[in-house]
Amino acid sequence: MTKRRRGLEYLCRGFAFAWLALLAAGQGSPSHVVSSFNNLPARLLFFDDTDTAIYHDSMEGNIYVSQDEGKNWKRAEGIPSGKAAMFFEHPVDNRFGFVLTDGKTHYRTEDRGRTWRPFDVPMEPALTPAPLSFHSDPAKYGYILYQGTVCDRRGWGASCHDETYYTKEAFSDDVKLLKKDTARCQFAHSSKEFKHEAPSDLVFCVGFDSGSHDLASSRFFASSDFENWKTEDFGIGKNARGVIAFAIVSKYAVVAMKDLSAGPNGDLHLYVSVDAQTWARAHFPHATSARLRENAYTMLESTTHSLAVDVVLQDKSPIGTLFVSNSNGTYFVESLKDTNRNDFGYVDYERIYGIEGIGVANVVANAQDVERRGERKRIKSVITFDDGSSWSPIKPPEQDVEGERTSCDTRDPETCSLHLFSVTTPHNFGRIFSSPAPGFVMGVGHVGENLWVYDESDTFLSTDAGLTWRMIAKGAHKYEFGDLGSILVIVDDEEATDHVKYSLDLGKTWTKYDFGVKLRARGLTTLPDSTSQKFLLLGQVSKKDQKKDIGRVVVVHLDFSKTRGRKCSENDFEKWYARQETSECLMGHMQWYKRRKPEANCYVGEKFKDPVVHEDNCKCTERDYECDFNYVRKGDKCDPVGPERIPAGVCARPDGTYLGSSGYRKISGNTCVDGVKKDEKVEKSCSQAQPAEGEVAHHKFSFSGQIVQHSYFRNSQTILVRLSDGSMWQSSNEGYRWDPIIKDQRFLVFYHHKYSDDRAFLITDTDTYYYTTDTGRNWHSAKAPTPPNSFGAQVLRFHPVSDYLIWTGNRDCQAATCRAEAQYSRDNGRHWTKIDDYVRNCAFAKDSEINADPSEIICESYRDKIGNQRYFTVKNPLELVVGSNFYDTKRKLFDSVVGFAKFSEFLVVAEMIPEKKSLELEVSLDGQHFATGQFPPSMHPETHAYTILESNTKSLFLHMTMSEPPAPYWGSILKSNSNGTYFGISIDNVNRNEYGFVDFEKMIGLDGIALINIVSNADEAAISGKKKLQSRITHNDGSTWTALNPPPIDSLGNKYECQGTKCQLHVHGYTERRDPRATFSSPSVVGLVMAVGNVGENLAPYTDSDTFLSRDGGFTWEEVHKDAHLWEFGDSGSILIMANDEEPTTIVMYTTDEGKTWREYKFSDHPMRVMSIVTVPSDTSRRFILFGSYPKSAGSEAIQLDFSSLTSRKCVVNVEDPGKDDFELWSPSEERPEQCLFGRQTLYHRRVRDRNCVVGIQPKAADRIVQNCPCTRADFECEFNYVKNANDECVLVEGTTPRPNDDSCKNGEEFWYERTPYRLIPYSTCVDGFRPDRGGEHRCPGFKSKGTVFWLFMLILPFGFTAMVAYYYYRKSGMARGTIRLPGDAQSPFNRDSGALATLASVPWFLIGLAGIVYESVASWLDTHLLGSRRGYRNLPIDEDAQVLRFEDED
């Protein structure tokens, strides 16, 4: 028995060894076959779920077919050589394919390319990416729409329009006309995902209804019988025109329609349907200020439970914001800011195939710098595991492919994460990262702070849907997945190669396979479902490597079927869960696939069978919820943007309650059950709801301390408040709700980043500070190199590159060497480097308008660096030192300075000359070269203080104090030439206060208009110490000043007591303001001015004054209310509010007709002293905040006033034809004798005074320069060393000499002129006319010998050719039609692969269309051309404690 058992054992072993040997014998190496072609393909693709491949050579116009996955090829039989222009496979029936030619005869296959038969249509195909549209019902496979173009040719040009035809038998029948004048037609049933109960023959068309092809006649049509058409009105009636595009995305039908009321720059509105019958407008949240513009939004790859849209919110840069919708596609929430996109509308965003909720995107880390200064993008990759509800950096591998540790700290995701090239820079066919192989993701990228260049990147693999990654190869490679991920293939994508590498164990080990041809890889592909073991490698072969049977383009057929000897059995598979780091649940369920085990040596072999997904529901957790509509995430909670909309009648009583949103909603498509329920309705007070139309609402909040600092983020609804107790508070919804920031922390000050709208810094009394980079949604702590300084210097300085910072703090202040030390950071405070110590002020020389070296730092640094800085005197002078390369290379500019200041394009330094005891003004435009300011001889600032005033008209205004202490202060305003070096007197005796501030303010939005107050009794005031003030205004940038015209009657209809010619209007100015930001005028409503003052001979005390308004930039005035008031402008002037500024009050007054009528609103039962009224900085909101306090209260109040429900009617804006809408064209010249200001007549767009409508953030018509006017005396001012005499003539100052002539001809002038006593105001654009600035005429040397025609021809020739090429590609791309950019919406992957390939593929079309393009370009040209801050001050007094007074935080 024992022997028998042993015999059986030996026999079994023998069989086992034989079986293993047989398996080993069955395993072998890959094989390959090389096929040659003449050109790269326009398309290389497979018929779905078949072995049939198509190679379309558009250069030679031929189709090649392979029936064995690309192993053997032959030209399509039945199609004449050179005729194939486009190829389309049938999306539903994989037997059919269609080849379109340039003519009217096309070709069809019904046997996957084995045979081809011709069919005829009435016209040539339209120049669109997809002239054919198919029905999604397999039973109606023959239902196809054909879009063609018919042209009426005249001479060199043609007038063309598109028509759409239909067939019900795949062109076996005669095609019939569907509709003329169409831009796009599509079956409502054209997508398997878009399921609905609409009629099966329903067709949608974007077309034109009046024979005209302009946007105003573009409408959306529908027909259910191919004959009778109706116009979809989307619920807005006859205004449903201006349809730009239509598309079906996943389960949604989307129509984009332009708001024609706003002209060519009007917003787009999206209308969405999930049933093809009812349409709803898509709503975007308030807080994002999302505006859709043509060619500035992209419909992204979407799921069956949400729609994804990327919207360009920037004006100059292709940077977007990703929004994700609710389940019916109508309400969107912001998912990701600053998404990277290119100029063609493609967005770096892709979902991981087959895995719900996971997607990869690229963002622009320096979006503000790119937008403001055109800097190069810094791209970072992020990943979401919850369908865009939250995003995080991609976790990098710990080591590279050689086992070396990653060069950066993988624990710090800000500086060390994985970044991948994405959709905007594709390098292969199809999807960028993933395939139907479940969980497998590959990419080319870089580990570090941001993405590098492609040729310096490496190749990475994730086998768990992006959760973890490992580097699999140095260098960039093309990659592909086969046999459901059991085979991975990569090929070098940086240089020519003769081999591929493949892995059979999920990327753990790689084997090299040489295919014998050296080529430059252009594409690597396999069957679309990644179930095959065969691959196609497309490449170009250099001339030296070409052989008799190897052409310049080859397709290498790679067969890996012999690399494994057996098919996988059930034991070779495992469950693979798509899991996150914290949970296996994804989108509310555990999702898993059956996947081959890594160590299993077998092939899957399930060809054409997609992997089956399994789902097990989970209990709901916090991660399964996102912010509801009109809520934004702030930290770990969702805050309301504003009052909640509720149905009419729900709140019958103000003191009632209603069930409202909790602020959360379950992520669309999430299937979790039970568990946490964050989306249940909550009971709310009706006072929290949005008021009914016509009503005003208010919301109160009490602070425990007094408000000492407050400021909005620019372009945001978020405001910060600092209290006297050191606490910080924040509201993200314009004061509707307030939350503390970092409780139990004391803050000294906060700064908004001067150049980055979404950054702010909170400074404590230690070396810990807090910052935000997302407008206060999240606050992060950071360590400064020192505690903040106590020497009065601004703690933080900013740079146009938003990550560059300068910190000035205390060093060794517990010892005898206490001093201020400055350090800089180039990474937003993560690392600091010392600049210098014993400094008073350090700043970057670079500014948004100063063209200085970006690495240059300027410091006011004490000469003797020893001892305690607190006790330094004038004997230790401040030197001005500039250091390039971030202060690494230093040089001293001046030995002794009072200070420096940056203003507009000028860098101004006050230099002290000790031996002369004088003060010199040094001016620079680049931070390197300085010129000494030249003053009239009687006004050199030797013993005077001066204040640099605002300037935006290419001149520098300066106030020079002329009064002598102890008299009150006043002085003269001087104005410079265009480079700020020569100064002449503009007006004398201008008022200033003891702090250096001056009663001088320019009108916002109206160049050259400014208000001042002068001391009318200067001689008397020098003795009595009491000033009498009078107001003056200039409308020509300080050349002349006049009194303010008083209104004829007051606000009660009575005449003023003062009636003589000495009676004028006088207003209280800058020096008396509690909040300097409360300006006379607003940036959002040009020409509207408000002020507190009186009619009389002099300015009366503030409490004896009344409130006045001007609608024309100060030419005429009207009294709008008695008593002094605080005011604020809202909604571009459509609403103004006022509050009494003399005593506590319970009411505010508001007007919607700019002061004609006023209404009261009671906000409190007890009188409150209002200290300030604020709204968003752009003055475009209808919500205001009153800051104030109740008498005898230690705290303060914030009361939000909400006027947004006063009216729901949106103002009509017609940018194309301004003045024929709710706006009017207005010019400052209407109320004055001169028709022109600064040598031009300009028309401004403003709301008609009595139109009760909401302006909002919609674009208004740009200022329109009607004409440049002939020069008049008002366009000139006195030249240096000249002053005006009593006859208003410029005369030479006694004892001075005129400036020398300037014969430099810097701007290519034909003549130069001798100087005269006059000079042209730098900001004026007047032409010819009266020119007192021109003396004797002299010809300039140069190129003037050539005639105008010669230079015009030389300039136009290259630009004309470039324009023709650009126009061709514009038309060819489909962008001329306003196409919605869809995922994969391209004729070929190669259209996105490389510019060279795209150009080659388009050459025949270019040559054919050239003549017509020339004509259209010329015709278009003929049609067009032959038939449009804080007002900061810089005060420089001269004394021992002299310093520059700055308000940089308000710039």
Side-chain angles (χ1 to χ4, degrees), residues 481-484 526-533 605-611:
F481 311 85
D483 196 35
L484 290 179
T526 184
L527 293 182
D529 56 13
S530 295
T531 58
S532 175
Q533 300 183 68
E606 298 293 331
K607 201 170 183 181
F608 307 132
K609 292 184 179 180
D610 293 336

Side-chain angles (χ1 to χ4, degrees), residues 8 39 141 146 215 274 313 332 403 528 537 602 611 630 660 713 900 945 1016 1021 1083 1098 1113 1154 1319 1357 1359 1374 1393:
L8 287 174
N39 304 290
Y141 70 90
Y146 172 87
L215 188 59
V274 294
L313 301 184
F332 286 80
L537 173 61
C602 59
N630 260 353
F713 285 88
F900 73 90
S1016 62
N1098 296 291
E1154 297 178 8
R1319 65 179 177 189
L1357 184 61
F1359 284 106
D1393 194 24

